Amino acid sequence: MKFNDAILGLVVLLGGLAIILQARTFPPTYGQAYGPDLFPTIIGIGFVLSGIVLVIGGWRERQAVGWVDFQGVGLGRLVDAGIVLLYIIAFIFLAPRLGFLLTAGIGAWLLMVRFQEGRWLSSLLIAAAVTLAADWAFRVLLLVPLPQGWVLPRLPW
Amino acid sequence: MSDTLIIAFGLVFDPYVLGVMLAAGAFGLFVGAMPGLTATLAVALLVPITFFMDPIPALAAIVATTAMAIFAGDLPGALLRIPGTPASAAYVDDTHKLTLQGKANLGLGTALVCAVIGGLVGASILAFTAPLLAEVALRFSTQEYFWLATFGLTCAAFVSTGKPVKGLVSLLLGLFIATIGIDIMAGQPRFTFGSVELMGGVSFIPAMIGMFAISEVLRWALGSTGGRDKTKPVRQATGAVFTAVLPIVRRYKIGLVRGSLGGTAIGILPGAGADIAAWVTYAISKKFSKEPEKYGTGHTEGLVDASSANNASLGGAWVPALVFGIPGDTITAIVIGILYMKGMNPGPMVMLNQPELLYAVFIAFFVANLILLPLGYIAIKSYGQMLRVPREVLMPIILILCMVGAFAINNTVFGVTVMLVLGIIAFIMEENGFPVAPAILGLVLGTMIERNFMQSMMKADGNLLAFFDRPIAATLGVITISIWVLVAAGAIRRFWRNRQSGALPSSAE
Amino acid sequence: MLRRTLLGAAAAVAAMGLGLATAEAAYPERPITIIVPWGAGGGTDATARILASLMEQELGQPVNVVNRTGGSGVVGHSAIATAEPDGYTLGIITVEIGMMHWAGLTDLTYEDYTPLALYNEDPAGVQVRADAEWETIDELLDFIRDNPPGTLTGSGTGQGGIWHLALAGMLQAAGMEPDRVPWVPSEGAAPGLQDLVAGGVDIITSSVPEAQSLIDAGRVKSLAIMAGERAHAFPEVPALPEIGVDWRLGAWRGVGGPVGLPDEVVDTLTPLIEQIHQMDEFRDFMEGRGFGMVYLGPDAYREFMAESNEALGGVMQELGLAQ
């Protein structure tokens, strides 16, 4: 997914402006020449200037490059990328409730089924094995308190 | 001194201590090879175990763990473009592209051999000069650190690829992310939008996992690079691990020396560790290389510098820790805590009462790096088996590991959110020719630059000349500014030449 | 792995051998997490880890220390307060709980916790370079009084942190304006002390134990502690009241959990922590590092936090550090 530099330049430029505006609300440090707004402001100015350069450059080559180039990515591929993102989002929201095992396991299973076009049984076995191994390695060996959730009982190890 | 050395040798070359080091080394390899799990985490996990050990095996275990973890970070970096620890991020593009060319064993073998050599050099230097070096490190105040960090930032100009303005945007993004959270200078929350989690700032680890791993998975899913259907994924790793490495090491021996010495020096300074050592030496290597255009495309030259540097830097941090009780990095901060638990207060009293302890640590580093050779070899061989797994199955597994790794840094799903957001940003950046490396560098150095600038200005009441009123600071400042002038002059000259050569055909029109 | 199993077995055997109170209660039936709002390697982290090791040994269940750093302590303290009140997530609550809300960083106060035990309090000290011209705290205060503001600088923690408060309060108690020695914020006592030795700042008002290794190294000297009387561990360092400056301030650490911990948990942990506090391993460690040993049970600890909260709020308001 390739955008014309002018579009990204505009995003960079507006982002820089937003940073500068936000930084102006930081109170100065009492009795000091430089406050917490100094560095964000410098960064913001840098973004604005780079944004302008990008916009000018992108505008010049708009004929040659066009505005957006999907580089022949089909709908199927977009769905693939979409479910990768959905998987992570689902983990963020569901893992604290359903627990690591269920969320990560079912998600990985669905992803494998999709990527391997069917083959749900082998995918199920692999996903289950990997999730259980990860749970054991991280929770037991590395003492990472993975979310337990309310559904499954705590595994005996 | 020689008596002490012999005692120290006796302490380390004890079957129990060596056994502990071997076990700890295997543990370090495992943790380091997991994306997102750092050497620091590996050491923190060792704490309850070392609690039941004598000081020497406890320290030897930590030494072995860290030396292995830093190398192991290269494994997922090379095979999946997911650096296992931040110290591997500098050269991940080179090792990964080598893997794509079917030369995984060459890349990893080089990284392994250079890591071992760097580690050995670092340990030897420190063993003989530790007290002296600690003295120099103690002279560094905020002005010196400011220049050092600014010098580090200059490296962005060298590690960046593509259009300079895009590299600048990437660097600024990293610097901006570093300002998020409660500002330590004024206690003022910045860009947190009321989120308690953001008050703690954006952790480096989830950010790094997102920018490398998630963007890579997305790219694969969209089939834009790495070829989902074009070519069959990755070719098998072929070739011996060691034989092909020797000519490379011989060819780039200057880089090896440069990396080992540079890494040792950076490691000694409190607050600068393996990750900064890798970035800085990679940039320097590229600057002095005859073929800088090959960097980042599967070239072994920068790899030689940086992978020797990150292992060499490890020992350095122990110097101020043992000699003055000042932690050089998070690992040695934990070490100091462990020493206290053993009733030994790090500082010159340890040097006076138990000088063998310091030597034992450096001998342990020596031994650890020797153990690294066979253990690393086994790890490369077995890790290479992962390439056999079809990507359709591997990618969901990688996602699980990434999510757990991002979660583990603070034990909240907030880390996963950070990973997701930065993953998407990095994906869009790379698709559009923005290099990711400068952003990572900005993230590493941003806080250091701002904090030391502000601290210096508070001391000097806003007088900018304060950055030149101490001898070391003045020297560092002059060097940094000269490099900027040279880089700028070079850029202008190139621009001018391009304009002239570009102007000729148009005038002929 | 084998090692861990062995350790677990050893711990279990030890617990059985000691015949602890855990036999009658089901709690704890799984690992406990202790959240530390400060970084690995610092004083809070070190005390939490020794406490956790001994709790693990006594309870026969793993007790994991998790560092939740950042935001001047806000992040970790809020993680403790918002944890599930089931007794499996506890935390170390530090003096900053009585400061952060006055500074406007958070709404959290000591009332958002179930207190279990206070186990440590360290008074602030006054540290200068060993080769500094001042031999006593009197000479230092006179020097500050006789020279223009900003001649000397102080450091040791972030802006508005506990040691900043200590310095400003001491100056005020000595009859000077509290910002006569500008504060250079640092990430903690260790980086501040390093900068002191490097010649970047002149005074570090951290606790004495934090400076111990550099004092032993002959690089730093401690001129006074801000307590009512001299400390047991540092008998040669005078207390401020001895020179007529009425000012005392210390940092403290205690164990607590979110509001609403079940009685079963409180009844198990309270005697356990009191018992650990008496154990030789704990005493040796705390005294070895010079950490001040105190012990207060749940009710006394709650009262202590309330008083600390009021006192800190008052001082911060006077010094202009409160919002």
Side-chain angles (χ1 to χ4, degrees), chain B residues 49 135 137-138 140-141 182 184-185 187 196 199 324 326 333 340-341 346 348 410-412 451 455 458-459 470, chain C residues 3 40-41 49 66-68 71 74-75 78 105 159 183 185-187 194-195 198 200-201 213 217 219 285 288-289:
Chain B
I49 301 172
E135 207 58 49
L138 272 192
F140 273 56
S141 182
I182 288 192
I184 175 147
M185 303 312 294
V196 170
M199 276 186 166
F324 293 107
I326 291 173
Y340 272 119
M341 283 189 201
N410 258 336
N411 299 311
T412 63
R451 195 179 60 228
Q455 285 171 334
M458 284 187 177
K459 291 175 192 168
R470 292 164 55 100
Chain C
R3 182 167 294 283
R49 284 187 195 273
V66 171
N67 301 91
R68 291 290 299 277
V74 174
V75 176
S78 104
L105 291 178
Q159 180 81 15
W183 189 254
S186 74
E187 270 185 317
Q194 201 234 319
D195 208 13
V201 291
S213 61
R219 295 309 177 103
F285 170 78
R289 275 193 83 163

Side-chain angles (χ1 to χ4, degrees), chain A residues 1-3 5 8 19 22 27 32 34-36 38 46 50 77 80 87 100 111 115 138 142 145 147, chain B residues 37 45 163 166 169 172 183 188 190-191 221 228-229 392 399-400 404 407 411 431-432 453-454 457-458:
Chain A
M1 225 186 304
K2 215 168 148 28
F3 296 96
D5 280 357
L8 294 168
I19 292 171
Q22 178 78 19
Q32 298 297 341
Y34 306 101
L38 176 70
S50 324
R77 289 281 180 267
D80 283 352
Y87 179 33
F100 167 76
L111 245 62
F115 291 154
F138 283 89
L142 301 178
Chain B
L37 300 191
L45 291 170
K163 280 190 194 170
K166 292 190 172 179
V169 169
L172 289 169
D183 155 41
Q188 164 73 29
R190 297 190 292 187
F191 308 109
R228 244 181 99 179
D229 5 45
E392 288 75 19
L399 279 175
I400 291 184
V404 174
F407 176 87
N411 299 311
E431 287 284 289
N432 291 282
F453 177 83
M454 291 293 180
M457 284 300 94
M458 284 187 177

Side-chain angles (χ1 to χ4, degrees), chain B residues 387-411:
Chain B
L387 292 180
R388 288 172 190 267
V389 180
R391 295 248 147 171
E392 288 75 19
V393 175
L394 195 57
M395 286 297 165
I397 298 177
I398 290 173
L399 279 175
I400 291 184
L401 291 180
C402 290
M403 292 191 297
V404 174
F407 176 87
I409 190 71
N410 258 336
N411 299 311

